[in-house]
Coordinates of all heavy atoms in Angstrom, one line a residue:
K238 N 104.4 121.9 91.2 CA 104.9 123.0 92.2 C 106.2 123.6 91.8 O 106.5 124.8 91.8 CB 104.9 122.4 93.6 CG 105.1 123.4 94.7 CD 104.8 122.9 96.1 CE 104.9 124.0 97.1 NZ 104.5 123.5 98.4
L239 N 107.1 122.7 91.5 CA 108.5 123.1 91.0 C 108.3 123.9 89.7 O 108.9 125.0 89.6 CB 109.3 121.9 90.7 CG 109.9 121.1 91.9 CD1 110.7 120.0 91.4 CD2 110.8 122.1 92.8
A240 N 107.4 123.5 88.8 CA 107.4 124.3 87.5 C 106.7 125.7 87.8 O 107.0 126.6 87.0 CB 106.4 123.4 86.7
G241 N 105.9 125.7 88.8 CA 105.3 127.0 89.3 C 106.2 128.0 90.0 O 105.7 129.0 90.5
G242 N 107.4 127.5 90.3 CA 108.4 128.3 91.1 C 108.2 128.0 92.6 O 108.9 128.8 93.4
G243 N 107.4 127.1 93.0 CA 107.3 126.8 94.4 C 108.4 126.0 95.0 O 109.3 125.4 94.3
K244 N 108.5 125.9 96.3 CA 109.5 125.2 97.0 C 108.9 124.1 97.9 O 108.4 124.5 98.9 CB 110.4 126.1 97.8 CG 111.2 127.1 97.0 CD 112.1 127.9 97.8 CE 113.0 128.9 96.9 NZ 113.9 129.8 97.8
P245 N 108.9 122.9 97.4 CA 108.2 121.8 98.3 C 109.1 121.7 99.7 O 110.3 122.1 99.7 CB 108.4 120.5 97.5 CG 108.5 121.1 96.0 CD 109.3 122.4 96.2
G246 N 108.4 121.1 100.7 CA 109.2 120.9 101.9 C 110.3 119.9 101.8 O 110.4 119.2 100.8
R247 N 111.1 119.8 102.8 CA 112.2 118.9 102.8 C 111.9 117.5 102.7 O 112.4 116.6 101.9 CB 113.0 119.1 104.0 CG 114.3 118.2 104.2 CD 115.2 118.4 105.4 NE 115.7 119.8 105.4 CZ 116.4 120.3 106.4 NH1 116.7 119.6 107.4 NH2 117.0 121.4 106.2
F248 N 110.7 117.1 103.4 CA 110.3 115.7 103.4 C 109.7 115.3 102.0 O 110.1 114.3 101.4 CB 109.2 115.5 104.5 CG 108.7 114.1 104.4 CD1 109.3 113.0 105.0 CD2 107.5 113.8 103.8 CE1 108.9 111.7 105.0 CE2 106.9 112.5 103.8 CZ 107.6 111.4 104.4
A249 N 109.0 116.3 101.4 CA 108.4 116.0 100.1 C 109.5 115.9 99.1 O 109.5 115.0 98.3 CB 107.4 117.1 99.7
S250 N 110.5 116.7 99.2 CA 111.6 116.7 98.2 C 112.4 115.4 98.4 O 112.8 114.8 97.4 CB 112.6 117.9 98.4 OG 111.9 119.1 98.2
S251 N 112.6 115.0 99.6 CA 113.5 113.8 99.9 C 112.8 112.6 99.3 O 113.5 111.7 98.8 CB 113.7 113.7 101.4 OG 114.4 112.5 101.7
V252 N 111.5 112.4 99.4 CA 110.9 111.3 99.0 C 110.5 111.3 97.5 O 110.8 110.5 96.7 CB 109.6 111.0 99.8 CG1 108.8 109.9 99.2 CG2 110.0 110.8 101.2
L253 N 109.8 112.4 97.1 CA 109.2 112.5 95.7 C 110.3 112.6 94.7 O 110.1 112.2 93.5 CB 108.2 113.6 95.6 CG 107.0 113.4 96.6 CD1 106.1 114.5 96.5 CD2 106.3 112.1 96.3
E254 N 111.5 113.3 94.9 CA 112.5 113.4 93.9 C 113.1 112.1 93.6 O 113.8 112.0 92.6 CB 113.6 114.5 94.4 CG 114.4 114.0 95.5 CD 115.4 115.0 95.9 OE1 115.3 116.2 95.5 OE2 116.3 114.7 96.7
R255 N 113.0 111.1 94.4 CA 113.7 109.8 94.2 C 112.8 108.9 93.4 O 113.1 107.7 93.2 CB 114.1 109.2 95.5 CG 115.4 109.9 96.0 CD 116.0 109.3 97.2 NE 115.3 109.7 98.4 CZ 115.7 109.3 99.7 NH1 116.5 108.3 99.8 NH2 115.1 109.8 100.6
L256 N 111.4 109.3 93.3 CA 110.6 108.5 92.5 C 110.7 108.6 91.0 O 111.4 109.6 90.6 CB 109.0 108.8 92.8 CG 108.5 108.4 94.3 CD1 107.1 109.1 94.3 CD2 108.5 106.9 94.3
P257 N 110.3 107.7 90.2 CA 110.3 108.0 88.7 C 109.5 109.2 88.4 O 108.7 109.7 89.2 CB 109.7 106.7 88.1 CG 109.9 105.7 89.2 CD 109.7 106.4 90.4
S258 N 109.8 109.8 87.3 CA 109.0 111.0 86.9 C 107.5 110.7 86.8 O 107.1 109.6 86.7 CB 109.5 111.5 85.5 OG 109.2 110.7 84.5
A259 N 106.7 111.8 86.7 CA 105.2 111.6 86.7 C 104.9 110.8 85.4 O 104.0 110.0 85.3 CB 104.5 113.0 86.8
G260 N 105.6 111.3 84.3 CA 105.3 110.6 83.1 C 105.6 109.0 83.1 O 104.9 108.3 82.5
S261 N 106.7 108.7 83.7 CA 107.0 107.4 83.8 C 106.0 106.6 84.6 O 105.6 105.4 84.3 CB 108.4 107.1 84.4 OG 109.4 107.6 83.6
L262 N 105.6 107.1 85.8 CA 104.5 106.5 86.6 C 103.2 106.4 85.9 O 102.6 105.4 86.1 CB 104.4 107.3 87.9 CG 105.6 107.2 88.9 CD1 105.4 108.3 90.1 CD2 105.7 105.8 89.5
D263 N 102.8 107.4 85.1 CA 101.7 107.4 84.3 C 101.7 106.2 83.4 O 100.7 105.4 83.3 CB 101.4 108.7 83.7 CG 100.1 108.7 82.9 OD1 99.1 108.3 83.5 OD2 100.0 109.5 81.8
K264 N 102.8 106.1 82.6 CA 102.9 105.0 81.7 C 103.0 103.7 82.4 O 102.3 102.7 81.9 CB 104.2 105.2 80.9 CG 104.2 106.3 79.9 CD 105.6 106.5 79.3 CE 105.6 107.7 78.4 NZ 106.9 107.7 77.7
F265 N 103.5 103.5 83.5 CA 103.6 102.3 84.4 C 102.2 101.8 84.7 O 101.8 100.6 84.4 CB 104.5 102.4 85.6 CG 104.5 101.2 86.4 CD1 105.2 100.2 86.2 CD2 103.7 101.3 87.6 CE1 105.3 99.0 87.1 CE2 103.6 100.2 88.5 CZ 104.4 99.0 88.2
S266 N 101.5 102.7 85.2 CA 100.1 102.4 85.7 C 99.2 102.0 84.5 O 98.5 101.0 84.5 CB 99.5 103.6 86.4 OG 98.2 103.2 86.9
Y267 N 99.4 102.7 83.4 CA 98.5 102.4 82.2 C 98.8 101.1 81.7 O 98.0 100.3 81.4 CB 98.8 103.5 81.2 CG 98.1 103.2 79.9 CD1 96.8 103.1 79.7 CD2 98.9 103.0 78.8 CE1 96.1 102.9 78.5 CE2 98.3 102.6 77.5 CZ 97.1 102.6 77.4 OH 96.4 102.2 76.2
R268 N 100.2 100.8 81.6 CA 100.6 99.5 80.9 C 100.2 98.3 81.8 O 99.8 97.2 81.2 CB 102.0 99.5 80.7 CG 102.4 100.5 79.5 CD 104.0 100.7 79.5 NE 104.3 101.6 78.3 CZ 105.5 101.9 78.1 NH1 106.5 101.6 78.9 NH2 105.8 102.8 77.1
I269 N 100.2 98.4 83.1 CA 99.9 97.4 84.0 C 98.4 97.1 83.9 O 97.9 95.9 83.7 CB 100.2 97.7 85.4 CG1 101.8 97.7 85.6 CG2 99.6 96.7 86.4 CD1 102.4 96.3 85.6
N270 N 97.6 98.1 83.9 CA 96.1 97.9 83.9 C 95.7 97.5 82.4 O 94.8 96.6 82.4 CB 95.4 99.3 84.1 CG 95.5 99.6 85.6 OD1 95.5 98.8 86.5 ND2 95.6 100.9 85.9
A271 N 96.3 98.0 81.4 CA 96.0 97.5 80.0 C 96.3 96.1 79.9 O 95.7 95.3 79.1 CB 96.7 98.4 79.0
A272 N 97.4 95.6 80.5 CA 97.9 94.2 80.2 C 97.0 93.3 80.9 O 96.7 92.2 80.3 CB 99.4 94.0 80.8
V273 N 96.4 93.6 82.0 CA 95.6 92.6 82.8 C 94.1 92.7 82.4 O 93.4 91.8 82.8 CB 95.9 92.8 84.3 CG1 95.1 93.9 84.9 CG2 95.5 91.5 85.1
F274 N 93.7 93.8 81.7 CA 92.3 94.0 81.5 C 91.7 92.8 80.7 O 90.6 92.4 81.0 CB 92.1 95.4 80.8 CG 90.7 95.6 80.5 CD1 89.7 96.0 81.4 CD2 90.2 95.5 79.1 CE1 88.3 96.1 81.1 CE2 88.9 95.8 78.8 CZ 87.9 96.1 79.8
P275 N 92.4 92.4 79.6 CA 91.8 91.2 78.9 C 91.6 90.0 79.8 O 90.5 89.2 79.6 CB 92.8 91.0 77.9 CG 93.5 92.3 77.7 CD 93.6 92.9 79.0
L276 N 92.4 89.8 80.8 CA 92.3 88.6 81.6 C 91.1 88.9 82.6 O 90.4 87.9 82.9 CB 93.5 88.4 82.5 CG 93.6 87.1 83.3 CD1 93.4 85.9 82.4 CD2 94.9 87.1 84.1
W277 N 90.9 90.1 83.0 CA 89.6 90.3 83.8 C 88.4 90.0 83.0 O 87.4 89.6 83.5 CB 89.6 91.8 84.3 CG 88.4 92.1 85.2 CD1 87.5 93.0 84.8 CD2 88.2 91.7 86.4 NE1 86.5 93.1 85.8 CE2 87.0 92.3 86.9 CE3 88.8 90.8 87.3 CZ2 86.4 92.0 88.1 CZ3 88.3 90.5 88.5 CH2 87.0 91.1 89.0
T278 N 88.4 90.4 81.6 CA 87.3 90.1 80.8 C 87.0 88.6 80.7 O 85.9 88.1 80.8 CB 87.6 90.7 79.4 OG1 87.8 92.0 79.5 CG2 86.4 90.4 78.5
F279 N 88.2 87.9 80.6 CA 88.0 86.4 80.6 C 87.4 85.9 82.0 O 86.7 84.9 82.0 CB 89.4 85.8 80.4 CG 89.4 84.2 80.6 CD1 88.9 83.4 79.7 CD2 90.0 83.8 81.9 CE1 88.8 82.0 79.9 CE2 90.0 82.4 82.1 CZ 89.4 81.5 81.2
T280 N 87.8 86.5 83.1 CA 87.3 86.1 84.4 C 85.8 86.3 84.5 O 85.1 85.3 85.0 CB 88.0 87.0 85.5 OG1 89.4 87.0 85.4 CG2 87.5 86.6 86.8
I281 N 85.3 87.3 84.0 CA 83.8 87.5 83.9 C 83.1 86.5 83.1 O 82.1 85.9 83.5 CB 83.4 89.0 83.6 CG1 84.0 89.9 84.6 CG2 81.9 89.1 83.4 CD1 83.8 91.4 84.2
I282 N 83.7 86.2 81.9 CA 83.1 85.2 81.1 C 83.2 83.8 81.7 O 82.2 83.1 81.6 CB 83.9 85.2 79.7 CG1 83.7 86.6 78.9 CG2 83.4 84.1 78.8 CD1 84.5 86.7 77.7
A283 N 84.3 83.5 82.3 CA 84.5 82.2 82.9 C 83.4 82.0 84.1 O 82.8 81.0 84.3 CB 85.9 82.0 83.5
G284 N 83.2 83.1 84.8 CA 82.3 83.2 85.9 C 80.8 82.9 85.4 O 80.0 82.2 86.0
A285 N 80.5 83.5 84.2 CA 79.2 83.3 83.6 C 79.0 81.8 83.2 O 77.9 81.2 83.3 CB 79.0 84.2 82.4
I286 N 80.1 81.2 82.6 CA 79.9 79.9 82.2 C 79.8 78.9 83.4 O 78.9 78.0 83.4 CB 81.2 79.4 81.4 CG1 81.3 80.3 80.2 CG2 81.2 78.0 81.1 CD1 82.6 80.0 79.3
W287 N 80.5 79.3 84.5 CA 80.5 78.4 85.7 C 79.0 78.6 86.3 O 78.4 77.6 86.8 CB 81.5 78.9 86.7 CG 81.6 78.0 87.9 CD1 81.0 76.8 88.2 CD2 82.4 78.3 89.1 NE1 81.3 76.4 89.4 CE2 82.2 77.3 90.0 CE3 83.2 79.4 89.4 CZ2 82.8 77.2 91.3 CZ3 83.8 79.4 90.7 CH2 83.6 78.3 91.6
A288 N 78.5 79.8 86.3 CA 77.1 80.1 86.8 C 76.1 79.2 86.0 O 75.1 78.7 86.5 CB 76.7 81.5 86.7
G289 N 76.3 79.1 84.7 CA 75.4 78.3 83.9 C 75.4 76.9 84.3 O 74.3 76.2 84.3
D290 N 76.7 76.3 84.6 CA 76.8 74.9 85.0 C 76.2 74.7 86.5 O 75.6 73.6 86.6 CB 78.2 74.6 85.0 CG 78.8 74.4 83.6 OD1 78.0 74.4 82.6 OD2 80.1 74.5 83.5
A291 N 76.4 75.7 87.3 CA 76.0 75.5 88.7 C 74.6 75.9 89.0 O 73.9 75.1 89.8 CB 76.9 76.3 89.6
W292 N 74.1 76.9 88.4 CA 72.7 77.4 88.7 C 71.8 77.4 87.5 O 70.6 77.8 87.7 CB 72.9 78.8 89.3 CG 73.8 78.9 90.6 CD1 73.7 78.0 91.5 CD2 74.8 79.9 90.8 NE1 74.6 78.4 92.5 CE2 75.3 79.5 92.0 CE3 75.2 80.9 90.1 CZ2 76.3 80.3 92.5 CZ3 76.3 81.7 90.7 CH2 76.8 81.3 91.9
G293 N 72.2 77.0 86.4 CA 71.4 76.9 85.2 C 71.0 78.3 84.6 O 70.2 78.3 83.7
R294 N 71.8 79.2 84.9 CA 71.7 80.6 84.2 C 73.1 81.3 84.2 O 73.9 81.1 85.1 CB 70.6 81.5 84.9 CG 71.0 82.4 86.0 CD 71.5 81.9 87.2 NE 71.7 82.7 88.3 CZ 72.8 83.5 88.5 NH1 73.9 83.5 87.7 NH2 72.9 84.3 89.5
Y295 N 73.3 82.0 83.1 CA 74.7 82.6 83.0 C 74.7 83.9 83.6 O 75.9 84.3 83.9 CB 74.9 82.7 81.5 CG 75.1 81.4 80.7 CD1 74.0 81.0 79.9 CD2 76.2 80.8 80.8 CE1 74.2 79.7 79.3 CE2 76.4 79.4 80.2 CZ 75.3 79.0 79.3 OH 75.4 77.8 78.7
W296 N 73.7 84.6 83.8 CA 73.7 85.9 84.5 C 72.3 86.2 85.2 O 71.3 85.9 84.6 CB 73.9 87.0 83.4 CG 74.2 88.3 84.0 CD1 73.4 89.4 84.3 CD2 75.5 88.8 84.3 NE1 74.0 90.4 84.8 CE2 75.4 90.1 84.8 CE3 76.8 88.2 84.2 CZ2 76.5 90.9 85.2 CZ3 77.9 89.0 84.7 CH2 77.7 90.3 85.1
G297 N 72.5 86.5 86.5 CA 71.3 86.7 87.3 C 71.3 88.0 88.1 O 70.5 88.2 89.0
W298 N 72.1 88.9 87.8 CA 72.2 90.2 88.5 C 72.5 90.0 89.9 O 72.0 90.8 90.8 CB 71.0 91.0 88.2 CG 70.9 91.4 86.8 CD1 69.9 90.8 85.9 CD2 71.7 92.4 86.0 NE1 70.2 91.3 84.6 CE2 71.2 92.3 84.7 CE3 72.7 93.2 86.3 CZ2 71.7 93.0 83.6 CZ3 73.2 93.9 85.3 CH2 72.7 93.8 84.0
D299 N 73.2 89.0 90.3 CA 73.6 88.8 91.7 C 74.6 90.0 92.0 O 75.4 90.4 91.1 CB 74.4 87.4 91.8 CG 74.8 87.1 93.1 OD1 74.0 86.6 94.0 OD2 76.1 87.3 93.4
P300 N 74.6 90.4 93.3 CA 75.5 91.5 93.6 C 77.1 91.3 93.1 O 77.6 92.3 92.7 CB 75.5 91.6 95.1 CG 74.2 91.1 95.5 CD 73.9 90.0 94.4

Side-chain angles (χ1 to χ4, degrees):
K238 190 169 186 178
L239 286 177
K244 294 183 178 180
R247 178 178 297 181
F248 177 79
S250 298
S251 174
V252 174
L253 296 177
E254 72 185 6
R255 287 185 274 178
L256 290 174
S258 66
S261 295
L262 289 169
D263 184 36
K264 291 178 183 177
F265 172 81
S266 179
Y267 170 69
R268 289 172 179 173
I269 289 290
N270 289 324
V273 79
F274 179 74
L276 190 59
W277 181 248
T278 304
F279 169 78
T280 302
I281 296 177
I282 295 173
I286 297 174
W287 188 10
D290 291 342
W292 302 314
R294 88 300 187 273
Y295 294 102
W296 193 266
W298 299 105
D299 183 78

